[in-house]
Amino acid sequence: MSLKHALLGLLSERPASGYDLLKRFETSLADVWPATQSQIYTELTKLAGVGWIAVAAEGPRGRKEYTLTDEGLAELRHWLTGTKPQRNTRSDVLLRVFFLGVLEPAEAQAYLADLIEMSERGGEELRRLADSIEWGDDDLSLYGRIALEYGLRFNAMRRDWARWAADRIEATAKR
C-alpha cells in the first residue's frame, strides 16, 4: 500500500483539506498506515501534479480543499482490483522470537510478557478509538469498522499466541 492510495481512498468519500486528511488519518488509518503532516502535504502536491486530485476550493491562509478526479478514481479502482497486496515479509517481533533461544528462559518470557502487554494496550486503544468515532452509514464507516475489527482480532491473537509461547518456554525450562 502507499500513501497516495490511502489519500485517494479518503478523498473518494468527500473533498478535504490537507488538515482534514491528517485528522482522518489519526482517527481511522493510523494503525493501518501512519502518515505525518509533511508526508501528506507532499503527496497531495504529487497527486495534484499527475491529475489524480484537483483543488476544489481555496480558503484563508492558503487552505486548499482537494477533490478526487475521474483519473484518480480510476487509479484507486485499478489499485484495488488490478494489483495484488504485498505480503508483509518483515516482522521485527517474529525475528526476535526466532532468536529468543540465545537468552535465558526468564528473559525470553519477559520479552513475551512485553508482547502480551503491547497487544493488550493495542486492543484497548482500538476499543477507545471505536468508542470515540461517530459511526455513520457511509462506506468509510462500514469498511473502517471492518478494518478496526481486524486490528482488535489481531491484537487478541498476538496476545494469546504470546501467552502460549511463554507457557511453552516455561514447560521446556522445567525439564
Side-chain angles (χ1 to χ4, degrees), residues 18-82:
Y19 178 80
D20 296 335
L21 291 165
L22 177 63
K23 292 301 167 197
R24 287 168 72 186
F25 259 87
E26 290 173 355
T27 60
S28 63
L29 294 176
D31 288 328
V32 176
W33 197 265
T36 65
Q37 181 177 359
S38 63
Q39 290 172 319
I40 288 173
Y41 282 97
T42 299
E43 198 61 43
L44 288 171
T45 301
K46 291 177 185 177
L47 293 171
V50 296
W52 290 351
I53 63 171
V55 176
E58 292 193 46
R61 290 171 267 131
R63 182 185 188 275
K64 296 178 183 177
E65 185 171 87
Y66 296 93
T67 188
L68 189 64
T69 64
D70 290 342
E71 294 83 7
L73 182 57
E75 169 56 27
L76 179 60
R77 287 181 173 155
H78 168 73
W79 175 74
L80 286 166
T81 62

Side-chain angles (χ1 to χ4, degrees), residues 86-96 154 158:
Q86 293 181 352
R87 182 175 170 260
N88 185 2
T89 56
R90 294 181 182 180
S91 171
D92 184 51
V93 168
L94 289 179
L95 182 61
R96 291 168 190 258
F154 175 79
R158 186 175 55 192

